[in-house]
């Protein structure tokens, strides 16, 4: 039933119209069940990949048994020659990763790229986070990415991250995910005393500097006086991780929601959970790549860090790791990197907003995407007069339309909010800057950047089908 939905339209006048279709109307029982099964794997992924380091580890784990080998400079990369690598990955310092499957055609005919980001908004611990006040120990935070501060109070929080000791040895941290683990939390003011607080503008309702995590009340055994509560927390961290307070300076510790992702809605039509921006695109990009056996074009998934803070740094998309990899591939095949890039095709797979009728004032009433209406194709998403955006070229968009329709994928367009109401960006501009035709295709989310975001299972499943169709498209 999913073969070319356009065939179902018999009336010539219907062919003149482009209409968003609701999965509730067009997805049959079999396909809905397939979407439900697919979402189970996704929920497991979300729960194991709350930070970018965990996402890299989990993605490489998913690739196990699928013949991927770590890329080494000078390696040959060919589909047919015995003993050479046809499926490789690049682990970029544990926080970004590239997976690449050799296609049948020469690299000079271009590669198919899907890029998504594996970082999500959260609260990072400061370098000297631990302090004691009024008999309570706190962990001081600095938020990462765009958050509404008030959403982070009064919910169970977990501590995830990585500490590197002075001798270079590292230790992963995860507290608050197991049933027997304690969780953390940020206290809010009781409504009885919040009269003045509630009159403050939303941005100042909870000041960013007040997002301090309550860590404990008990004192160091036998100690008395100021500092005994803080020292007791350090004792616990030392017992568990063999670290001192100074080691927290060379640590990446993040506070994230402690609750797991799960089915959402009485009809189980959605997935609710933290970090779906952008893991709701990351997971289908990976499953689509891992399912691509011998694609016509070389297929590549790039999972980047630091998108939420501007894509800077060694693991962000403005870093050199992707270009360096393409240089390596070019060298191994005797091609020119710039030829490979300009012949390639990139889908920037990131989330976009869905229309929500309780807040009609921020949405375009005619052009907005809707939850449960399939993947969103969007050409631009920036601010003001199309600043900060790729604004995909018409030829690129037409190519994608053909791929989606040929595969019978349910898709729609989205504006990402009213003109001048929106302020956002995706990775597409960084790929376009390398002279790669690039367009955005992602999944609609509700409550984006909140501790508990919602995606429709139908849209998630359509992302997998769209990405699979992209990677396995026939040559032109
Ligand atoms: Mn995003
Ligand atoms: Mn985001």
């Amino acid at each position: 039933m999913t073969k070319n939905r356009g065939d179902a339209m018999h009336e010539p006048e219907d062919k003149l119209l482009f209409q968003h279709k609701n999965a509730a109307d067009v997805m049959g029982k079999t396909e809905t069940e397939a979407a439900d099964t697919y979402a189970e794997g996704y929920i497991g992924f979300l729960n194991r990949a709350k930070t970018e380091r965990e996402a890299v580890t989990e993605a490489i784990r998913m690739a196990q048994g699928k013949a991927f080998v770590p890329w080494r400079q000078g390696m040959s990369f060919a589909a047919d020659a015995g003993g050479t690598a046809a499926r490789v990955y690049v682990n970029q310092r544990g926080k970004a990763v590239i997976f690449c499957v050799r296609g049948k055609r020469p690299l000079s005919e271009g590669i198919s790229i899907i890029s998504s980001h594996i970082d999500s908004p959260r609260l990072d611990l400061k370098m000297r986070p631990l302090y004691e006040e009024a008999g309570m120990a706190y962990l001081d935070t600095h938020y990462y990415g765009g958050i509404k501060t008030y959403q982070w109070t009064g919910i169970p929080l977990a501590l995830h991250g990585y500490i590197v000791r002075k001798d270079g040895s590292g230790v992963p941290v995860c507290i608050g995910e197991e049933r027997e683990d304690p969780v953390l939390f940020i206290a809010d003011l009781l409504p009885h005393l919040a009269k003045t607080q509630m009159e403050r503008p939303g941005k100042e309702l909870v000041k960013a500097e007040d997002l301090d995590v309550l860590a404990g009340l008990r004192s160091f055994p036998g100690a008395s006086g100021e500092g005994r509560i803080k020292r007791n927390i350090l004792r616990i961290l030392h017992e568990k991780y063999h670290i001192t307070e100074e080691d927290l300076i060379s640590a990446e510790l993040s506070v994230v929601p402690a609750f797991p992702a799960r089915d959402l809605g009485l009809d189980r039509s959605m997935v609710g959970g933290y970090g779906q921006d952008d893991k709701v695109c990351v997971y289908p990009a990976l499953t689509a790549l891992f399912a691509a056996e011998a694609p016509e074009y070389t297929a590549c998934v790039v999972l980047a860090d630091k998108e939420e803070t501007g894509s800077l740094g060694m693991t962000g998309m403005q870093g050199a790791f992707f270009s360096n990899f393409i240089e390596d591939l070019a060298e191994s095949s005797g091609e020119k990197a710039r030829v490979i890039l300009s012949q390639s095709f990139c889908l920037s797979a990131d989330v976009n907003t869905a229309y929500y009728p309780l807040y009609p004032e921020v949405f375009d009433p005619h052009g907005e995407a809707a939850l449960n209406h399939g993947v969103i194709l969007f050409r631009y998403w920036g601010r003001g007069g199309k600043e900060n955006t790729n604004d995909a070229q018409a030829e690129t968009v037409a190519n994608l339309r053909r791929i989606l329709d040929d595969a019978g994928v349910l898709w729609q367009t989205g504006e990402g909010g009213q003109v001048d109401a929106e302020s956002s960006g995706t990775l597409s501009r960084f790929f376009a800057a390398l002279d790669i035709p690039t367009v955005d295709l992602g999944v609609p989310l509700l409550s984006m950047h909140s501790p508990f975001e919602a995606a429709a299972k139908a849209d998630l499943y359509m992302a997998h089908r769209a990405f699979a169709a992209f990677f396995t498209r026939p040559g032109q």
Side-chain angles (χ1 to χ4, degrees):
M1 73 148 291
T2 56
K3 181 116 176 66
N4 203 346
R5 286 167 207 280
D7 290 348
M9 296 189 289
H10 297 302
E11 275 74 37
E13 55 269 34
D14 281 358
K15 289 194 175 167
L16 296 174
L17 297 171
F18 173 69
Q19 284 176 323
H20 288 175
K21 297 193 184 79
N22 192 333
D25 300 320
V26 299
M27 261 174 76
K29 186 164 178 285
T30 314
E31 214 176 6
T32 303
E33 282 170 4
D36 286 350
T37 307
Y38 184 79
E40 285 173 25
Y42 169 58
I43 286 172
F45 176 75
L46 273 183
N47 289 335
R48 290 186 291 270
K50 289 191 177 180
T51 65
E52 62 276 356
R53 279 187 193 265
E54 291 166 355
V56 167
T57 305
E58 184 59 17
I60 291 172
R61 195 194 62 79
M62 281 170 70
Q64 264 171 17
K66 296 186 165 59
F68 281 87
V69 297
W71 172 257
R72 289 188 318 276
Q73 217 184 342
M75 202 179 222
S76 96
F77 182 54
D80 41 8
T84 64
R87 298 161 84 87
V88 300
Y89 70 92
V90 178
N91 181 342
Q92 171 63 7
R93 300 174 190 266
K95 297 175 70 173
V97 64
I98 302 169
F99 293 93
C100 198
V101 173
R102 186 66 166 87
K104 292 177 198 152
R105 299 197 175 217
L107 293 172
S108 58
E109 291 190 32
I111 63 181
S112 312
I113 304 155
I114 297 182
S115 74
S116 301
H117 66 91
I118 47 178
D119 60 320
S120 298
R122 59 181 190 238
L123 309 177
D124 285 346
L125 294 198
K126 292 187 178 181
M127 284 185 285
R128 290 170 58 196
L130 195 57
Y131 72 92
E132 177 182 322
E133 202 173 308
M136 295 180 269
Y138 289 92
L139 293 165
D140 203 349
T141 69
H142 189 144
Y143 69 99
Y144 174 99
I147 62 162
K148 287 166 132 179
T149 49
Y150 69 83
Q151 293 179 331
W152 291 75
T153 64
I155 58 168
L157 297 168
L159 186 65
H160 288 232
Y162 196 66
I163 305 171
V164 182
R165 305 180 193 95
K166 201 150 56 181
D167 66 4
S169 60
V171 54
V173 171
C174 186
I175 302 172
E177 298 294 343
E178 299 301 328
R179 193 174 284 272
E180 63 273 16
D181 278 359
V183 292
L184 300 164
F185 122 122
I186 297 167
D188 199 354
L189 212 47
L190 58 169
H192 319 64
L193 290 180
K195 190 170 176 300
T196 313
Q197 182 199 27
M198 296 306 283
E199 281 160 4
R200 298 209 292 251
K203 220 178 156 182
E204 293 159 29
L205 209 52
V206 176
K207 293 183 178 132
E209 197 55 77
D210 292 344
L211 287 174
D212 293 359
V213 176
L214 187 55
L217 310 172
R218 293 185 172 161
S219 73
F220 191 93
S224 61
E226 194 75 4
R228 67 198 188 284
I229 317 286
K230 169 177 167 171
R231 269 171 63 210
N232 192 48
I233 299 293
L234 286 171
R235 179 187 65 82
I236 291 164
L237 291 176
H238 184 262
E239 276 176 12
K240 195 165 163 108
Y241 300 116
H242 309 291
I243 57 148
T244 63
E245 186 177 23
E246 194 180 318
D247 290 321
L248 296 176
I249 295 170
S250 50
E252 296 166 5
L253 292 171
S254 301
V255 175
V256 296
F259 35 73
R262 59 199 302 175
D263 280 358
L264 178 65
L266 293 178
D267 60 359
R268 297 179 182 271
S269 53
M270 295 166 277
V271 172
Y274 165 73
Q276 299 202 67
D277 175 6
D278 186 26
K279 269 80 128 205
V280 74
C281 296
V282 168
Y283 184 75
L286 290 172
T287 57
L289 183 77
F290 296 159
E293 279 304 327
E296 198 68 24
Y297 298 99
T298 290
C300 190
V301 167
V302 184
L303 304 181
D305 177 28
K306 292 193 162 38
E307 193 276 342
E308 297 294 359
T309 55
S311 297
L312 300 162
M314 294 188 294
T315 52
M317 217 52 245
Q318 297 203 66
F321 71 98
F322 176 70
S323 306
N324 288 348
F325 175 61
I326 297 297
E327 287 277 354
D328 281 0
L329 290 190
E331 208 172 82
S332 82
S333 59
E335 315 264 13
K336 278 200 165 83
R338 66 175 178 81
V339 173
I340 299 175
L341 292 170
S342 65
Q343 294 305 308
S344 292
F345 188 177
C346 175
L347 296 186
S348 163
D350 204 347
V351 297
N352 200 316
T353 186
Y355 180 79
Y356 199 56
L358 299 185
Y359 300 95
E361 66 277 7
V362 298
F363 295 106
D364 176 343
H366 308 119
E368 219 56 88
L371 213 60
N372 214 38
H373 284 59
V375 280
I376 311 178
L377 182 163
F378 52 113
R379 289 168 48 191
Y380 42 79
W381 198 21
R383 62 171 175 257
K386 292 193 172 181
E387 294 162 36
N388 218 30
T389 185
N390 167 33
D391 207 0
Q393 182 139 323
E395 290 89 336
T396 313
V397 177
N399 266 341
L400 178 58
R401 282 175 53 206
R402 191 178 58 251
I403 293 165
L404 296 174
D405 282 343
D406 285 352
V409 170
L410 187 64
W411 64 277
Q412 55 179 332
T413 61
E415 293 292 333
Q418 283 191 6
V419 177
D420 276 350
E422 94 279 41
S423 173
S424 194
T426 69
L427 295 176
S428 56
R429 60 206 144 131
F430 306 121
F431 287 88
L434 295 171
D435 198 35
I436 304 172
T438 304
V439 58
D440 278 281
L441 187 75
V443 174
L445 271 196
L446 286 184
S447 228
M448 194 191 297
H449 282 207
S450 80
F452 196 77
E453 306 169 308
K457 289 180 182 174
D459 301 335
L460 165 73
Y461 183 61
M462 284 300 160
H464 167 77
R465 292 208 31 226
F467 297 162
F470 174 71
F471 280 144
T472 58
R473 72 188 190 281
Q476 283 169 6

